[in-house]
Amino acid sequence: LDPLDLKFRNRVRVPVPTTRAVMFCVMDVSGSMDESRKDLAKRFFILLYLFLTRHYEKIEVVFIRHHTQAAEVDEQNFFHATETGGTVVSSALVLMDEIIRARYPSDQWNIYGAQASDGDNWHHDSGRCRELLMDKILPKCRYFAYVQVAEPEQNLWEEYQRIVGEVPQF
């Protein structure tokens, strides 16, 4: 072999990221969510995170807690803060949509969402939650999971049940 041939045939592989993923963890921290329900929700989020880290080398996680108002928090506050209040679930979904539009364009990111709640919500707000999911969030998501950590089913569950057959990623 001529040294000139080796020079041009020697290829160096440079990894180029082709996919990026973000996971939204949305947890209800209202007064109706006692510690056992919050603990169950936290375990679900941990399992989902472990699943996604097996499929993606790098994944970003966005933590959103809500009662009557939603807030993006860090991991420490998500799992350990003790605030409570009433329940307006749509505030969390609106915040999730705002964050997606600002930081995670759906053509560049694989977006996953997970929501854990006891299902208790103001009756006038549950229909709005379904609309927000259908119109703004689910078209951008690869997968969205809703976990209800209490029985019996509440009004939020009834609204979300209407989505199940219509959208395969829910």
Side-chain angles (χ1 to χ4, degrees):
L1 291 174
D2 188 46
L4 186 63
D5 289 333
L6 291 176
K7 180 179 177 183
F8 291 105
R9 290 190 183 170
N10 188 10
R11 295 186 179 136
V12 177
R13 290 186 166 208
V14 178
V16 177
T18 57
T19 58
R20 296 184 285 181
V22 59
M23 181 177 82
F24 285 86
C25 299
V26 180
M27 184 167 57
D28 180 356
V29 293
S30 64
S32 61
M33 287 282 288
D34 60 19
E35 286 306 311
S36 64
R37 292 175 179 172
K38 288 179 186 174
D39 185 54
L40 187 59
K42 292 171 191 177
R43 289 173 192 248
F44 167 73
F45 289 124
I46 290 169
L47 289 173
L48 181 60
Y49 177 76
L50 290 173
F51 170 78
L52 290 173
T53 53
R54 290 181 181 251
H55 290 85
Y56 295 96
E57 287 183 25
K58 182 181 179 195
I59 184 165
E60 291 190 20
V61 181
V62 177
F63 297 104
I64 298 175
R65 293 170 58 98
H66 73 87
H67 41 81
T68 55
Q69 297 176 341
E72 181 179 359
V73 296
D74 61 9
E75 183 178 355
Q76 178 68 25
N77 284 326
F78 184 78
F79 287 108
H80 301 292
T82 59
E83 61 189 300
T84 62
T87 310
V88 179
V89 176
S90 65
S91 64
L93 299 177
V94 167
L95 179 59
M96 181 180 171
D97 181 52
E98 290 172 359
I99 293 170
I100 290 172
R101 283 188 284 118
R103 300 192 314 231
Y104 303 104
S106 59
D107 61 336
Q108 298 173 15
W109 289 83
N110 290 319
I111 300 170
Y112 296 88
Q115 177 184 3
S117 173
D118 61 355
D120 187 28
N121 192 23
W122 289 355
H123 287 283
H124 71 280
D125 189 56
S126 294
R128 182 165 187 242
C129 293
R130 180 181 44 80
E131 292 170 4
L132 284 166
L133 276 176
M134 290 290 291
D135 298 339
K136 297 190 177 204
I137 294 174
L138 290 176
K140 300 171 189 167
C141 286
R142 297 192 43 84
Y143 185 77
F144 189 95
Y146 172 70
V147 176
Q148 186 162 302
V149 294
E151 289 189 37
E153 285 77 19
Q154 301 285 338
N155 58 354
L156 188 59
W157 178 269
E158 293 166 5
E159 286 293 331
Y160 283 1
Q161 196 68 21
R162 296 170 58 187
I163 300 173
V164 172
E166 296 180 38
V167 183
Q169 68 266 31
F170 181 75

